[in-house]
Amino acid sequence: NNNNNKSNSNNNNKIPTNIAILFPDEAEMNIALENTSTSQNPYPNVQISSLRSSDPRDTRFFKPEQTFMNLLGGKSNGIIRPIDNVEMYIIIIASAQELPDVEELYELLDA
């Protein structure tokens, strides 16, 4: 009987096999990738992305409203959505300003 309990607890502690490392927004991600000469998929099952991504329907290169918001310290433009098949998110260099975005991702995953 103890072996069955041990087996069940091991299943609950499964090591994730698909990981996303997230920067707060695409601009910070692009700077990091450029400065480190790294791709968005540096290792198998590891991807680098952003917590807040551009709306895929907005194909404009220059977004004047975003420039205005950045000058005022406003929120980054874009949407938050889970990444398919990711089992673990590692969010780096996020400040208190991005905590609502982290919470929104968590709620989307919990749904």
Side-chain angles (χ1 to χ4, degrees):
N1 196 8
N2 274 346
N3 287 339
N4 287 342
N5 289 340
K6 198 175 212 180
S7 174
N8 288 340
S9 69
N10 286 339
N11 289 339
N12 293 336
N13 296 325
K14 180 181 161 242
I15 295 174
T17 57
N18 202 351
I19 298 169
I21 300 170
L22 302 182
F23 286 87
D25 58 42
E26 288 177 326
E28 291 182 74
M29 176 194 70
N30 290 334
I31 290 168
L33 292 174
E34 225 175 86
N35 289 342
T36 59
S37 300
T38 303
S39 76
Q40 281 190 268
N41 296 299
Y43 299 100
N45 301 316
V46 175
Q47 60 184 297
I48 298 173
S49 190
S50 60
L51 182 58
R52 189 171 281 280
S53 301
S54 296
D55 186 341
R57 297 167 296 179
D58 187 353
T59 57
R60 297 175 300 157
F61 179 74
F62 179 70
K63 300 172 179 81
E65 71 279 3
Q66 185 55 45
T67 303
F68 180 71
M69 290 301 292
N70 289 345
L71 290 172
L72 296 176
K75 242 187 183 180
S76 176
N77 198 15
I79 56 177
I80 297 168
R81 62 178 166 237
I83 301 170
D84 291 340
N85 301 318
V86 167
E87 297 171 357
M88 175 188 279
Y89 293 89
I90 301 171
I91 302 169
I92 59 175
I93 66 167
S95 66
Q97 180 179 340
E98 282 94 22
L99 288 178
D101 293 349
V102 174
E103 184 177 21
E104 185 175 336
L105 176 63
Y106 173 78
E107 288 170 356
L108 289 169
L109 293 169
D110 198 35

